[in-house]
Amino acid sequence: MSTTVVLGAQWGDEGKGKVTDFFASTADYVVRFQGGNNAGHTIVVGEDKIALSLTPSGVLYPSCTPVIGSGCVVDLGFLKQELEMLNKKNINTKKLVISPNAHLVMPYHKLLDELIEESLGENKIGTTKKGIGPCYADKIQRKGIRVQDLLDKNIFVEKVKNNIEETNLTLTKIYNQAPLVADKIIEEFNDYIEMVSSHVADTSLLIANAIKDNKTILFEGAQGTLLDIDHGTYPFVTSSNTSSGNAATGSGIGPKNLDKIVGVTKAYISRVGSGPFLTEQENEIGDYLIEKGAEFGVVTGRRRRCGWLDLISLKYSVRVNSLTELFITKLDVLSGLEELKLCVGYENENEVINDYPYDQNILNTAEPVYEILDGWTEDITSVNKFDDLPENAKKYINAIEDFIEVPITFISVGPERNQNIVITDD
């Protein structure tokens, strides 16, 4: 058995698309275990950039079975478009399997998401307005609509009508919006029945049998650890558990079946939307990272906020996820900077904090404590061995590894599939 979890160790956008593609090339199954189409993975294949938001990256490999697990929420209209895009690129999507227990993102979820976000004014969360939060809210309130419900006409119609009746009270009484018509939504979703029925299967059993058969399985996370609903910078988080424990829960297997847990981090750090960001650089350094790193959201197109790598939050991600190793992306973006900084502490009220604080107020008032290192000017995009990196680049990597006490086993030095340094034990 070989199972690997790949997840973000920051606020998402760490380059997980390339990393999951790297592992998916040898995987028999790739499983998405949380989130919906509010996350984007970009995979560069030659001159072609393939942006995936819901379909697992394993779809790009004919020998791999991509799986959407029960912990995900599925926008069927979006999924249909994504599968059509892949089919036009001659990528076979027939092997995609969807859990019957995954929840459906309904039109009223997207409408509510937008209305709620706009009502917050200056306190906006920064949601993608894809309906993800309201869908998970319905799931927790036990009134969600699951994939399997769509395949039972009586159940689906009853649930839609009940939910629309309640939602219309919110729309008309609170937001002064026109009521929705249940029959129109039911008619729209009738068009998805054939697509769903051809992909739905018991994914928990499928994965369990694959483990018994010693297949190679990759569990693919979306967003990042600092956006976890329980362990992230609440309330500026996503609506699901993005940390490694949910790889088991969101897939329907036991946690003992997880072998390796690989965290993905940039050589710097970024985030989209609102929320605390101690090492953010709202200056020429930030502009440099944004422009050279092409830091614009896959799903939203929004300009990302960028700053120096925060080792305190990275060490926290190691702890929360039980990371066994780290994959660093975009090291090449730092080439050309004379000076580099690593955040090694938070100073708050004349006290230096060396562990990630539980008190959210500290994240709004503390100042970063930096270790300063010399940069390098060499182009490293063609380097494929750690020893061939510039000395200052090696010192930078070693400083990260020494602080977080987890081995760095992969380094990305460019967007292409083959622009990686693999660091072995010897």
Side-chain angles (χ1 to χ4, degrees):
M1 178 187 72
S2 174
T3 58
T4 300
V5 181
V6 170
L7 46 78
Q10 300 174 322
W11 282 296
D13 307 311
E14 301 95 346
K16 293 187 298 299
K18 177 179 177 176
V19 179
T20 54
D21 178 63
F22 179 87
F23 284 99
S25 63
T26 57
D28 298 302
Y29 295 82
V30 175
V31 185
R32 260 290 291 274
F33 59 86
Q34 52 79 214
N37 60 309
N38 56 333
H41 288 168
T42 301
I43 300 166
V44 179
V45 185
E47 297 297 320
D48 199 5
K49 287 186 177 181
I50 301 175
L52 299 174
S53 293
L54 188 56
T55 310
S57 56
V59 73
L60 301 181
Y61 294 93
S63 61
C64 185
T65 299
V67 179
I68 295 177
S70 58
C72 296
V73 292
V74 182
D75 182 331
L76 291 177
F78 180 89
L79 179 62
K80 182 179 180 181
Q81 293 176 6
E82 194 163 75
L83 295 182
E84 288 173 349
M85 176 272 292
L86 290 167
N87 289 330
K88 286 180 181 179
K89 294 179 181 291
N90 295 317
I91 296 170
N92 185 2
T93 62
K94 291 181 179 179
K95 294 182 73 175
L96 173 67
V97 184
I98 305 172
S99 169
N101 292 339
H103 281 245
L104 295 177
V105 177
M106 304 298 291
Y108 49 83
H109 291 141
K110 290 184 276 190
L111 178 57
L112 287 171
D113 202 2
E114 184 173 354
L115 292 171
I116 293 169
E117 179 76 350
E118 292 302 319
S119 71
L120 294 174
E122 294 181 356
N123 296 317
K124 289 179 181 178
I125 301 298
T127 173
T128 57
K129 301 178 183 178
K130 302 291 184 181
I132 309 301
C135 184
Y136 275 115
D138 275 4
K139 175 179 178 177
I140 298 303
Q141 292 183 27
R142 293 165 298 213
K143 60 180 183 180
I145 300 176
R146 300 190 295 178
V147 167
Q148 63 176 287
D149 295 332
L150 181 62
L151 305 181
D152 188 315
K153 182 176 180 181
N154 292 331
I155 290 177
F156 184 74
V157 169
E158 181 182 0
K159 284 192 171 185
V160 170
K161 288 187 174 180
N162 288 340
N163 286 357
I164 287 295
E165 183 177 355
E166 181 178 333
T167 300
N168 280 342
L169 291 175
T170 301
L171 292 175
T172 57
K173 301 297 183 182
I174 297 178
Y175 295 108
N176 196 30
Q177 298 286 313
L180 297 175
V181 179
D183 288 342
K184 288 185 178 180
I185 294 174
I186 293 167
E187 182 179 352
E188 174 190 345
F189 275 73
N190 283 338
D191 293 337
Y192 302 136
I193 293 175
E194 183 177 352
M195 176 184 72
V196 169
S197 60
S198 65
H199 292 290
V200 70
D202 186 343
T203 54
S204 174
L205 181 61
L206 179 74
I207 299 166
N209 286 336
I211 290 172
K212 286 182 181 179
D213 292 337
N214 292 316
K215 299 295 185 181
T216 300
I217 305 169
L218 172 65
F219 297 92
E220 175 185 273
Q223 288 91 29
T225 301
L226 299 180
L227 292 176
D228 187 282
I229 187 69
D230 287 315
H231 306 294
T233 50
Y234 191 89
F236 303 101
V237 293
T238 194
S239 303
S240 60
N241 287 111
T242 60
S243 47
S244 61
N246 200 27
T249 306
S251 304
I253 63 166
K256 287 186 177 181
N257 289 313
L258 303 179
D259 293 334
K260 294 195 298 184
I261 303 174
V262 181
V264 185
T265 177
K266 285 174 182 163
Y268 50 99
I269 192 169
S270 70
R271 81 174 299 175
V272 171
S274 305
F277 188 171
L278 266 70
T279 63
E280 182 176 10
Q281 298 297 297
E282 298 181 275
N283 50 32
E284 67 278 2
I285 295 295
D287 292 339
Y288 180 91
L289 296 173
I290 291 167
E291 295 302 321
K292 190 172 180 182
E295 295 294 350
F296 300 93
V298 175
V299 173
T300 63
R302 289 181 292 184
R303 177 184 169 108
R304 296 176 184 140
R305 304 156 61 192
C306 288
W308 298 118
L309 184 59
D310 182 350
L311 296 186
I312 300 298
S313 66
L314 189 57
K315 187 170 70 170
Y316 173 69
S317 290
V318 170
R319 169 162 60 89
V320 169
N321 293 300
S322 295
L323 296 184
T324 59
E325 55 197 281
L326 202 65
F327 195 130
I328 292 187
T329 63
K330 294 194 172 185
L331 183 65
D332 55 297
V333 174
L334 298 184
S335 295
L337 293 172
E338 293 183 6
E339 182 180 86
L340 303 173
K341 295 182 180 181
L342 291 170
C343 176
V344 295
Y346 299 161
E347 184 174 357
N348 186 67
E349 296 181 351
N350 298 319
E351 178 187 2
V352 176
I353 300 169
N354 296 311
D355 287 302
Y356 201 72
Y358 72 87
D359 186 346
Q360 62 184 1
N361 293 319
I362 292 176
L363 296 176
N364 295 316
T365 59
E367 294 292 333
V369 177
Y370 288 118
E371 177 182 343
I372 299 175
L373 297 91
D374 292 328
W376 62 90
T377 58
E378 297 93 328
D379 180 359
I380 64 171
T381 55
S382 61
V383 174
N384 56 22
K385 294 181 180 179
F386 182 78
D387 288 342
D388 293 338
L389 284 172
E391 284 302 314
N392 288 340
K394 288 189 280 188
K395 289 178 181 178
Y396 186 78
I397 294 296
N398 289 334
I400 298 170
E401 190 174 64
D402 289 344
F403 192 92
I404 63 171
E405 298 179 316
V406 165
I408 295 168
T409 51
F410 304 91
I411 303 170
S412 168
V413 292
E416 294 284 350
R417 275 176 165 174
N418 61 351
Q419 289 181 293
N420 299 307
I421 297 171
V422 180
I423 305 174
T424 59
D425 290 339
D426 58 353

